[in-house]
Amino acid sequence: MYGMKARATIDSLEELMHFVSGFAGDHGFSKEKIHDIQLATEEALLNIFQYAYPGENKGEVEVTCEMMGDSELNIRILDNGIPFDILSLSEPDLTCPLPARKIGGLGCYLIRKMADDVHYHRQGDTNILNLLVRKTPVNSKQ
């Protein structure tokens, strides 16, 4: 397992994204899967940067990458901000006209769509979000 800590600010995004996409590339993920990984991870990090630490007192975020066997990548994102379970949000109504849509929730929807499995739990003062991405779908017909 490899990890990286950074301040929970937008200035840390590029370095954290480079770390995650580099790990995925080093472990044989396709460009398409790396794109999914980047989208899900970026949305999760942006939510933390924007909402986890209100006000000027920004905390840290830790991102770890670990291969689970040969074909599954687990990206674990930890922060000590406000508790927030992305799985508690209902899916947005994408059929609703854009001006009538409720604001928020689209990023969490994208995270759930880009990752093959998403788990959240809070341990003490720590939010723990796990994004599991497989190299190929479970029911792949190749």
Side-chain angles (χ1 to χ4, degrees), residues 69-134:
D70 292 333
S71 63
E72 295 181 334
L73 168 60
N74 184 52
I75 302 159
R76 179 173 293 132
I77 303 173
L78 297 93
D79 72 82
N80 297 104
I82 296 170
F84 178 64
D85 180 359
I86 71 165
L87 301 174
S88 67
L89 295 178
S90 58
E91 289 193 5
D93 181 2
L94 300 178
T95 62
C96 183
L98 193 56
R101 283 189 198 165
K102 185 177 149 187
I103 295 174
L106 193 56
C108 294
Y109 171 78
L110 288 173
I111 292 168
R112 294 190 305 240
K113 290 299 178 189
M114 295 295 106
D116 293 301
D117 209 355
V118 179
H119 296 281
Y120 167 85
H121 70 281
R122 180 120 174 136
Q123 186 172 343
D125 292 335
T126 305
N127 292 305
I128 304 170
L129 179 65
N130 288 288
L131 309 175
L132 184 69
V133 181
R134 295 179 187 92

Side-chain angles (χ1 to χ4, degrees), residues 21-62:
S21 59
F23 186 93
D26 290 347
H27 287 85
F29 282 82
S30 69
K31 288 182 182 180
E32 294 81 13
K33 276 295 185 179
I34 291 173
H35 179 266
D36 293 350
I37 290 165
Q38 289 174 325
L39 185 56
T41 305
E42 182 175 331
E43 287 295 334
L45 290 171
L46 289 173
N47 276 339
I48 292 167
F49 298 164
Q50 188 168 8
Y51 302 113
Y53 300 102
E56 297 299 316
N57 188 17
K58 298 296 181 185
E60 284 189 331
V61 62
E62 180 178 356

